[in-house]
Structure formats: C-alpha cells, structure tokens
Amino acid sequence: MNKVTAQELSKLEADRTVIVDIRGEDAFSYGHIPGAVNIPAETLDKANLSRDKQFVVYCRTGQLSGDAVEQLCAKGYDAYDLEGGYVAWLRAHVNDLSQDTASQVENGIRTKYSKKLFTKFAKAITTYRLLEPNDKVAVCISGGKDSMLMAKLFQELKRHNKFPFELVFLVMDPGYSPANREIIERNAKVLNVPITVFETDIFDNVFNIEKSPCYICARMRRGHLYSKAQELGCNKIALGHHYDDVIETTLMGMLYGGQMQTMMPRVDSTNFKGMRLIRPMYLIREEDIKAWRDYYNLQFIQCACKFTDTCTSDVCQGSSNTGSKRQKVKELIRALAKEDPEIEQNIFKSAENVNLSTVLAYKDKKGAKHYFWDED
C-alpha cells in the first residue's frame, strides 16, 4: 500500500495534493491537519474527486484509513495512507512548536483574547463564587483545548494576585498510548504549564464493558481526580466545561431526560468530604476557544480512549448513545441559532429564570418532589 509519513507530508506538491480527513465532522472541527478536507469514511464512495490530484488520507491513528486508500487505488486514484494518522502528525507538529509559544499565548490572553477569554473567566469566578482565599485548586488537564486554555487562564489569574490561592496542574493518565501521553506532556512544556501526572488503569477496566462504558469511564475518572487532588491537599478541582457544554446539557435534559436541569458552575462532592468541583470556563464560548487555538497554531488531543482508535464517527462504537444525543443537540442548537442568534443565550438563561409558580412540580435539595397543588 502507498504510505507517507507525517514528515514526508510537508514535502509533497501542495498544488497537486489533497489531504483527506475521513473522521466525523465533530472530530474534524475539534482539530485537523491545516488544509485538509473532511470527507467522512461513510461518504467517501460518493465524493466527487479529481483524477488529476493525489490524495493523502488519514483517520485518527491509521487503523481505518488503509481500507479507504485501497478502495481509492482500486478505482484508479493516486492515493496514499498517512502512516499513524492524525495522532502521528500531531506528535510531529507539537515537537515543531516554537519555544516562544508560551509567552505569545500569555500576551494574547492579556490583549487580543482578554475580552472573550480572560474577562469571561474572571467573571464566572466572581459571579458564581468559585474561588476563595487560601483555596488549593487542582486544575484538571485532559490534554484537550479546553483544559489547556483553562490552565493558562488560571496562571494569568494567579499573576494578578488579588488574594492568595494555590494551583496544581493535574493530569490523570487513564491508559493513554505513548504518543498521546507525549503530546500532552509536550504541549504542557511548550505552554509552560508545570503538570503533575499520575497513572490509572481506567481504559483497561472499561474497554470490555458493553453498556455505557463512556459514562462509567467518566465517573471513574472523576473519582480518581477527586482522590488524587485530596491527597495533594487540594479542596477544589477545576474542569474545563464551557458555555456550549452548559446549554447542550440543559437541552439534553429536557429532550432526553424529561427534566429541567443544567450543568452547574460548582458542585460539592458527596463522596469526598470538603471537596468542590468548579467550572470557571462556564461563560466562555467554544468558538472563541477554537479561535484562540487556531491563532497560535496549537493542536491538542481529543478523546484518546481505545474505542476511538477504531471508530470513524464522532461517537465511539460500543459506547452509550450519549455522544450521539449530544451531537444531535449541538446540531439542533446550531440550526436554531442561524434563525435566531438569541436562542443560545435564552437556553442558558432559562436555568436561572425558573418560575416555580408556573411549573407542575420540582424537587428540593433533598430530592423530595413538590407539586403545584401542595400550596392549595
């Protein structure tokens, strides 16, 4: 089979080479090789491709793109498989980043992206009272764009030094491949984020679970993060969920859960006494995170579990259908927002404008259900 390496890719004739990403649309949106076109694997047969071009095809790790290349070659196309896929390219790209990247990013947070990123970060912390003097926060870094940006925003907040608090930049390795582990560590080094890494075997434990492995994996990851953070003397863990996560969760609860609830900016742990989860990215839009990432030519890992190594879609095969539901809700919100730009803001505000006199029933903090006729 025709193959090219990540290093060889940059040497190909740019005007004749078409780089084809066969992953799903959401994975492509999260991060891709610059200049690549997105043709999901299931639609490749129907794509209108030029016979005058040469095609370099890639998936996430190279386990699926080989079949696509064989199909193209069988039809007479000049096609090549990117060895190691997007992860191999990402690994090479991260190693090529400038040592000045951290200072450029830090300066951008104070200038170009101050209003859309840092101001909203600080506002969430103040509005929802996420930080208090003498807190010790475990800033949980998954290796993705959201958590890496959160780390840089926390560093900027610390630089302001308005009141004393401590930070630990915590990375849990649930069973990453060596390549993904290297990408996370290299990005942290380039961005000047002093990470503390600890290892677990979560991926191995959930790999053979057929029912809701993603849900179980998320619960286990959360528990390990709480435990390690507490061991390190932290009283809070910070996660990188953003504004779009909040409105998607709110709508998902209504459409698929039959309940009105939202993703809270802070949650006290029921299993780890004295620990609190905070979400300081609560008011930041994902499009602004992506703009920040792209401006500095940064690339981060997406989901790095074993399911996605052999999955072409945005939803891992063998997982629960939570991912597909979220993707459907994401697309629904996007479509509605095109017609009315205030839709997203209205979904967000709905969780803080609940009128108890106009709901049929609600649950109090203890879980007891109250109906509207209880006050008759």
Side-chain angles (χ1 to χ4, degrees):
M1 182 191 300
N2 300 331
K3 285 183 176 288
V4 296
T5 65
Q7 290 75 17
E8 293 169 339
L9 182 61
S10 61
K11 300 176 183 179
L12 297 177
E13 297 178 51
D15 59 344
R16 185 171 176 265
T17 303
V18 178
I19 304 172
V20 180
D21 187 323
I22 62 169
R23 298 175 300 159
E25 180 183 350
D26 197 46
F28 180 81
S29 174
Y30 191 94
H32 58 268
I33 298 174
V37 295
N38 185 212
I39 307 177
E42 61 272 18
T43 66
L44 191 58
D45 282 343
K46 301 177 183 178
N48 184 19
L49 304 177
S50 172
R51 297 282 179 179
D52 298 328
K53 300 289 186 179
Q54 64 177 5
F55 299 91
V56 176
V57 182
Y58 72 91
C59 59
R60 183 174 175 273
T61 60
Q63 295 193 40
L64 297 167
S65 52
D67 290 341
V69 169
E70 286 186 358
Q71 292 174 18
L72 290 175
C73 289
K75 293 181 178 180
Y77 289 102
D78 185 14
Y80 299 82
D81 183 22
L82 180 60
E83 192 170 352
Y86 178 65
V87 170
W89 177 87
L90 183 57
R91 192 176 184 180
H93 172 79
V94 171
N95 286 333
D96 289 338
L97 285 175
S98 167
Q99 292 302 313
D100 295 330
T101 300
S103 60
Q104 293 171 8
V105 167
E106 290 160 6
N107 182 62
I109 285 173
R110 296 166 196 152
T111 55
K112 182 178 178 67
Y113 292 102
S114 176
K115 185 176 180 180
K116 291 186 175 180
L117 296 180
F118 184 72
T119 298
K120 290 184 178 180
F121 180 80
K123 182 179 179 180
I125 287 175
T126 302
T127 302
Y128 303 115
R129 294 183 287 179
L130 304 184
L131 273 185
E132 298 170 305
N134 302 314
D135 275 344
K136 187 172 183 180
V137 183
V139 181
C140 301
I141 299 174
S142 65
K145 67 185 192 316
D146 306 328
S147 60
M148 278 296 195
L149 173 58
M150 179 175 65
K152 296 308 297 180
L153 292 171
F154 261 118
Q155 286 182 323
E156 179 62 17
L157 187 68
K158 182 69 174 174
R159 190 181 71 85
H160 288 236
N161 202 31
K162 291 190 174 181
F163 57 81
F165 66 92
E166 295 182 57
L167 298 172
V168 175
F169 299 99
L170 192 59
V171 175
M172 179 185 65
D173 182 345
Y176 291 134
S177 67
N180 278 316
R181 173 77 173 256
E182 180 185 335
I183 291 167
I184 294 172
E185 292 177 338
R186 177 61 179 169
N187 268 326
K189 184 178 180 180
V190 167
L191 291 173
N192 195 25
V193 177
I195 58 175
T196 297
V197 183
F198 72 102
E199 298 177 353
T200 69
D201 56 0
I202 293 176
F203 284 173
D204 287 337
N205 289 335
V206 302
F207 185 62
N208 293 316
I209 295 176
E210 294 184 2
K211 186 177 181 180
S212 302
C214 293
Y215 172 77
I216 295 172
C217 179
R219 290 292 299 270
M220 292 179 69
R221 288 162 70 114
R222 186 78 54 84
H224 279 284
L225 287 169
Y226 269 126
S227 181
K228 188 63 178 181
Q230 196 168 55
E231 177 187 318
L232 294 173
C234 299
N235 65 313
K236 291 178 179 176
I237 66 171
L239 300 184
H241 296 117
H242 47 67
Y243 186 99
D244 296 74
D245 291 323
V246 177
I247 61 176
E248 289 161 16
T249 299
T250 303
L251 200 54
M252 282 180 67
M254 296 174 65
L255 299 180
Y256 297 109
Q259 56 188 342
M260 177 58 205
Q261 65 176 23
T262 192
M263 179 181 283
M264 297 296 287
R266 69 181 200 192
V267 180
D268 291 330
S269 174
T270 55
N271 298 320
F272 295 86
K273 188 176 180 180
M275 295 293 294
R276 173 175 286 177
L277 181 155
I278 61 174
R279 295 183 169 102
M281 306 269 284
Y282 205 77
L283 301 177
I284 296 178
R285 296 304 308 262
E286 185 175 27
E287 64 182 5
D288 294 326
I289 300 173
K290 289 179 178 179
W292 165 82
R293 174 201 65 191
D294 296 342
Y295 185 81
Y296 294 104
N297 197 24
L298 301 172
Q299 295 283 342
F300 303 102
I301 66 169
Q302 193 176 12
C303 178
C305 78
K306 293 181 179 180
F307 290 120
T308 53
D309 283 342
T310 55
C311 181
T312 58
S313 68
D314 298 321
V315 185
C316 305
Q317 294 174 359
S319 71
S320 69
N321 61 357
T322 302
S324 61
K325 289 177 179 177
R326 181 170 292 276
Q327 182 60 25
K328 288 178 182 178
V329 168
K330 186 187 290 286
E331 292 169 0
L332 174 61
I333 293 173
R334 188 184 300 141
L336 292 171
K338 286 182 179 179
E339 299 178 7
D340 185 349
E342 294 188 3
I343 287 288
E344 294 162 314
Q345 182 178 333
N346 289 340
I347 296 173
F348 185 88
K349 285 185 174 180
S350 68
E352 61 183 36
N353 289 323
V354 178
N355 187 340
L356 293 183
S357 65
T358 63
V359 298
L360 298 178
Y362 68 92
K363 291 181 180 179
D364 61 26
K365 290 184 177 180
K366 295 182 180 180
K369 197 167 187 177
H370 302 273
Y371 291 90
F372 75 94
W373 58 71
D374 289 345
E375 297 182 6
D376 290 351

